Amino acid sequence: AKGCSSTRVWAIVAASVMHEFPQEVADFAILIDAAKMPWPYALALNVLGSLGAVIGAVVAYQVQVSPSTHGFFLSLAAGLFTYTSLTELARIFMHNVRSLHDAIWRCCAFALGIAIIGTALFDHAHCGGDHEESGHVH
């Protein structure tokens, strides 16, 4: 958020929280239900895992990287998340489907979740830099 106004920074923070909170609640539920972990341990591990994102954000803010390096790491992360969701989570998601109606309902709920998370892309803009001059407008 270098070069951003304080209003834009708080909008980024709000979008990040709206994006991450449901995922962290789901992680906590999985640790308690599927891993049979006592809730204090599940909470501690969830917070510890979340700190990785905070550390990553601080490092990314402090280090100057080229746009291609930035794109590489974003693509790598997207690929890892896609692989995990398709190989691990889809199996769990469709476990115990009782009917076509149940499968459609689950897929619609999943699509709604994607749409809610995608709201972070509304009013997408870059702060500072020469993005507009270089044709990087999307």
Side-chain angles (χ1 to χ4, degrees):
K2 293 179 183 177
C4 291
S5 68
S6 63
T7 303
R8 171 74 64 191
V9 170
W10 284 112
I12 293 169
V13 169
S16 298
V17 169
M18 286 174 54
H19 173 86
E20 289 297 325
F21 184 74
Q23 183 257 325
E24 295 303 328
V25 171
D27 287 350
F28 181 70
I30 289 169
L31 289 173
I32 289 174
D33 186 47
K36 306 294 185 219
M37 193 176 288
W39 75 265
Y41 294 121
L43 182 62
L45 283 176
N46 204 14
V47 169
L48 185 64
S50 299
L51 287 178
V54 174
I55 292 168
V58 169
V59 169
Y61 183 79
Q62 295 298 325
V63 175
Q64 293 291 338
V65 296
S66 70
S68 60
T69 302
H70 188 199
F72 169 78
F73 283 110
L74 287 175
S75 298
L76 179 66
L80 290 171
F81 281 118
T82 302
Y83 175 80
T84 301
S85 67
L86 292 175
T87 59
E88 297 296 325
L89 300 178
R91 177 180 49 84
I92 295 167
F93 179 71
M94 297 307 286
H95 183 68
N96 291 332
V97 173
R98 292 172 189 81
S99 66
L100 178 61
H101 180 265
D102 189 26
I104 292 171
W105 177 250
R106 288 181 189 205
C107 289
C108 288
F110 184 72
L112 177 62
I114 290 172
I116 290 170
I117 289 172
T119 60
L121 297 175
F122 291 151
D123 195 31
H124 173 81
H126 296 272
C127 298
D130 60 351
H131 297 293
E132 288 80 20
E133 292 82 20
S134 66
H136 184 78
V137 191
H138 54 252

